[in-house]
Amino acid sequence: MTERRLIPRFAGLFFLVAFLLVVLLVVTPLTLAAQSPSQQEAQPDAQQGGQAAQSQRIAALEQRAADAKSSADNAWMLTSAALVLMMTGPGLALFYGGLVRKKNVLGTMMQSFAMMAVITVLWAIVGYSLAFGAGNSVIGGIHNALLRGVGLQPDADYAATIPLETFMVYQLMFAIITPALITGAFAERMKFRAMLLFLILWSLFVYDPMAHMVWGKGGLLNASLGGRFPTLDFAGGTVVHVTSGVSALVCALYLGKRLGYPKMAMPPHSVVLSFIGACLLWVGWFGFNAGSALAAGGLATSAFVATHFGAAAAAIGWSGAEWLRNGKPSVLGAVSGAVAGLVAITPAAGFVSPMSALAIGLIAGAFCFWMVAKVKARFGYDDSLDAFGVHGAGGTIGALLTGIFASSAINPIFKDPSGNTGPSGLLEGNAHQLLNQCVGVAIAWVLAIVGTLVLLLIVDKVVGLRVSEDEEMQGLDLSQHGEEGYYWETPA
């Protein structure tokens, strides 16, 4: 009896399932067929819309990544610009200020400070345009005078990830310190107004053309933009140090010796100030060299390391040579050696390995000591603060050693027409690069000698260069500025 009742129940369940299958198999296709064309097209449109949205998201992510890189590069470059400015004031001002006699400390420091103000205005008016504006192979034009066209958009020829205005202000700091370096040669004996006029003219007629030739678009010596004689100068070996150092020698020879030199002892009035200034120069030099990578990437790291290693090795090289000659190493010698190493590694910083940087620094330290201790004494010129012995000699030897030690593994700057990386320096098989370095150094020497001599003659005729004997005996602090660096209280 129970079985007879279950059979109808299972049969009913069977027919219900069969009915639902018929509905799914027959009614659903009819329903889909009855959909309007717009409904049928909606599905692929939805898929396309999803793909478009995904592409937009990817593009937005890429843009944010590019913006983040640009922001990082810009932050590094603004920091580097501040570090380079610190090299002039307080770095160079303290270094030079401590080396002179106390009656000239303010006058010497004021010369560096004056460059911070005067060259800034000159750079904005026409200096930047002459150095980096489009022109010929020797000098830029005036298209960017008054900073026309220098805004917040990058210029890919110079730096693709930072505003052109950032690049402009970074290069300004180089233009400030370069003429300030020359003041070390004529310290304690040039009129303040003569110094101003001379260095303004020097900046326009010596520095700006040299900067354009090495770094500017279409420059004769520009290695990255196809110059005729591609000279490797990463951060200013020829542009900054050779030109300023050689010009310093010309100034020292033209003005003549200080009263009483060399018979009268003229020791530094405060090696402590010079020590502090040299340490500030060392720190600021990271902005000078590593900043010249123009981006916060691996090349900046390489230049940073090379800079530090070069300075350290040169301090040892100078101190070691002095120790052998004089029986003891001096504090002033050690810091002077570090500065010499910083000078020599400047053109090479972005092209050489850390071990090559050590070699360059060691050579430069010993060589610059020899220039200051032997050559200067042999010829008897009064380069008051050894601007030529450190910057002229150090910049020259550094530029030449760059042509020997440059490595394509550090910076693949040379490529053949197929895009393959070529050798950079002599040790890699590119002997011709050493010749290019010699050409660059020779042009810097000739431009500095001829330009400086002509400008000195002009300024001497217009305002006179040298202070009177009475003013020199009194000191530049009082005679040129009417104040003293130190006021000693006398007992009542």
Side-chain angles (χ1 to χ4, degrees):
M1 185 68 181
T2 305
E3 293 179 357
R4 290 179 180 179
R5 291 178 179 177
L6 290 173
I7 290 174
R9 293 180 182 177
F10 281 114
L13 181 60
F14 172 78
F15 285 116
L16 177 61
V17 172
F19 175 76
L20 292 174
L21 288 174
V22 170
V23 171
L24 291 172
L25 294 173
V26 176
V27 177
T28 302
L30 292 174
T31 303
L32 292 174
Q35 288 181 346
S36 64
S38 60
Q39 290 175 318
Q40 294 178 11
E41 294 172 359
Q43 293 179 355
D45 286 348
Q47 294 176 355
Q48 293 176 1
Q51 293 175 352
Q54 185 177 10
S55 298
Q56 291 176 354
R57 287 194 294 271
I58 292 174
L61 287 172
E62 291 176 344
Q63 183 60 48
R64 284 197 290 270
D67 291 343
K69 175 174 173 51
S70 179
S71 296
D73 290 344
N74 196 45
W76 166 238
M77 292 311 302
L78 291 175
T79 301
S80 295
L83 286 170
V84 180
L85 183 62
M86 186 185 75
M87 290 173 65
T88 304
L92 187 67
L94 286 170
F95 185 61
Y96 276 179
L99 293 176
V100 297
R101 290 167 288 182
K102 65 177 181 292
K103 64 182 179 181
N104 296 310
V105 58
L106 283 184
T108 300
M109 297 177 80
M110 182 59 178
Q111 291 172 346
S112 292
F113 188 80
M115 291 302 99
M116 294 169 65
V118 173
I119 299 301
T120 296
V121 175
L122 185 65
W123 191 251
I125 294 172
V126 72
Y128 173 79
S129 187
L130 293 176
F132 291 96
N136 54 43
S137 62
V138 176
I139 189 70
I142 59 173
H143 175 72
N144 298 119
L146 302 177
L147 300 183
R148 289 194 305 267
V150 182
L152 301 181
Q153 295 303 313
D155 184 332
D157 287 333
Y158 291 132
T161 61
I162 62 174
L164 184 58
E165 194 167 327
T166 298
F167 175 80
M168 178 277 297
V169 79
Y170 177 68
Q171 292 296 338
L172 163 62
M173 305 312 172
F174 286 69
I176 288 172
I177 194 172
T178 306
L181 294 171
I182 303 173
T183 64
F186 54 70
E188 302 190 307
R189 59 195 187 277
M190 184 182 276
K191 297 176 182 177
F192 184 71
R193 62 178 179 272
M195 181 276 302
L196 283 177
L197 180 56
F198 167 66
L199 290 182
I200 287 172
L201 294 174
W202 188 91
S203 179
L204 291 173
F205 293 102
V206 178
Y207 180 82
D208 290 344
M210 196 66 206
H212 182 78
M213 281 190 280
V214 175
W215 295 328
K217 297 178 183 179
L220 180 68
L221 306 175
N222 194 314
S224 60
L225 295 176
R228 184 176 179 184
F229 300 100
T231 301
L232 298 179
D233 189 351
F234 191 72
T238 54
V239 178
V240 176
H241 299 294
V242 173
T243 56
S244 65
V246 173
S247 296
L249 177 62
V250 175
C251 288
L253 293 173
Y254 187 94
L255 266 73
K257 303 172 184 178
R258 289 168 289 177
L259 294 176
Y261 182 90
K263 296 179 180 180
M264 182 187 299
M266 299 179 183
H269 89 280
S270 177
V271 177
V272 172
L273 291 183
S274 296
F275 181 90
I276 296 170
C279 291
L280 287 170
L281 285 170
W282 190 331
V283 174
W285 226 290
F286 293 123
F288 201 84
N289 287 359
S292 291
L294 301 175
L299 186 58
T301 298
S302 181
F304 192 107
V305 172
T307 299
H308 191 62
F309 282 24
I316 293 172
W318 184 303
S319 295
E322 186 179 38
W323 206 335
L324 289 173
R325 182 176 185 268
N326 299 335
K328 60 186 68 175
S330 68
V331 174
L332 183 57
V335 297
S336 297
V339 173
L342 292 164
V343 169
I345 200 62
T346 290
F351 300 110
V352 301
S353 67
M355 295 301 103
S356 295
L358 287 175
I360 291 173
L362 196 63
I363 294 169
F367 177 72
C368 289
F369 170 76
W370 177 72
M371 290 295 297
V372 170
K374 290 288 188 179
V375 175
K376 177 182 173 181
R378 171 67 178 83
F379 290 97
Y381 56 85
D382 186 10
D383 177 8
S384 308
L385 310 183
D386 295 317
F388 172 70
V390 173
H391 296 278
T396 298
I397 193 69
L400 298 178
L401 291 175
T402 301
I404 296 174
F405 289 104
S407 170
S408 59
I410 302 298
N411 190 343
I413 192 169
F414 296 127
K415 297 184 182 296
D416 61 23
S418 301
N420 299 315
T421 300
S424 293
L426 177 65
L427 295 182
E428 282 192 337
N430 184 8
H432 189 72
Q433 188 54 42
L434 185 56
L435 177 60
N436 288 335
Q437 298 300 112
C438 291
V439 171
V441 168
I443 290 175
W445 270 75
V446 171
L447 179 61
I449 292 172
V450 175
T452 301
L453 185 58
V454 171
L455 295 176
L456 286 173
L457 287 168
I458 293 172
V459 175
D460 200 9
K461 293 294 184 183
V462 175
V463 298
L465 285 170
R466 187 159 179 165
V467 298
S468 67
E469 291 189 6
D470 289 341
E471 290 175 328
E472 187 173 341
M473 291 295 293
Q474 184 183 37
L476 299 185
D477 291 2
L478 282 173
S479 68
Q480 302 301 300
H481 305 288
E483 53 192 343
E484 295 182 77
Y486 304 99
Y487 291 96
W488 306 108
E489 294 184 4
T490 56

